Amino acid sequence: NPRYKVYTDEYPLWGLPARSQPEKRLILWNADKVYPSLYFNATRDPVIVVEGFKACMWVFQAGLKNVVALLGSYMSEEHRWILERIGAPVYLFLDNNAPGRRGSIHSAEALSRSLDVHVVNYPSRLVDDEDAQPDDCFAEEVIEAIGSAPTYLRWLMQWAQ
């Protein structure tokens, strides 16, 4: 079963017109709220990129309102285009597993050509936890991890050591 469900089959059950399954690569969840708040913001607050709905809501509840979800660990060209259009610094806070790290590298490489990109490190208590996700962090840890996130190049050097 897909990990991130976009409701389609339930529409007729709710008395609504049927919908086709949208492609996840076309959806940057919560971008409809973040885009206008950042695009017209002269201070250039960062946008935080996570994998799923739950992580997105958790980071939002921690007090960081400019957060979007990829609906997976892979950033599509469409996602990249939206983020570049916003033009804000990007903080990648993907899951602490192999797909999340590969997704962070792929996303950072693509975005670093045009944007200021940072990769968020997990708190020390979760660094070795392969199942850690942003919503496993306490709200204070989310804020601290994002506030101390190294640039993509520094992050790469940390991982090389």
Side-chain angles (χ1 to χ4, degrees), residues 70-96:
L70 299 173
L71 304 184
S73 60
Y74 179 78
M75 184 187 70
S76 69
E77 285 298 310
E78 290 80 6
H79 295 145
R80 181 191 56 78
W81 184 87
I82 293 168
L83 291 167
E84 286 178 342
R85 191 79 183 119
I86 293 171
V90 173
Y91 284 67
L92 298 168
F93 197 6
L94 304 185
D95 293 356
N96 193 36

Side-chain angles (χ1 to χ4, degrees), residues 9-36:
D9 300 338
E10 293 78 3
Y11 273 65
L13 297 174
W14 299 330
L16 299 169
R19 294 186 58 196
S20 62
Q21 179 73 345
E23 294 184 52
K24 290 188 297 184
R25 69 180 180 81
L26 301 175
I27 300 171
L28 189 58
W29 197 75
N30 202 40
D32 61 314
K33 309 288 187 307
V34 172
Y35 186 92

Side-chain angles (χ1 to χ4, degrees), residues 34-106:
V34 172
Y35 186 92
S37 73
L38 289 178
Y39 185 76
F40 298 107
N41 182 340
T43 63
R44 286 311 198 211
D45 293 335
V47 59
I48 296 103
V49 177
V50 297
E51 288 189 32
F53 308 118
K54 187 177 171 189
C56 189
M57 290 185 282
W58 181 245
V59 172
F60 186 94
Q61 287 175 336
L64 301 163
K65 306 301 185 203
N66 300 320
V67 57
V68 297
L70 299 173
L71 304 184
S73 60
Y74 179 78
M75 184 187 70
S76 69
E77 285 298 310
E78 290 80 6
H79 295 145
R80 181 191 56 78
W81 184 87
I82 293 168
L83 291 167
E84 286 178 342
R85 191 79 183 119
I86 293 171
V90 173
Y91 284 67
L92 298 168
F93 197 6
L94 304 185
D95 293 356
N96 193 36
N97 55 20
R101 285 188 287 279
R102 282 192 305 271
S104 292
I105 292 169
H106 165 78

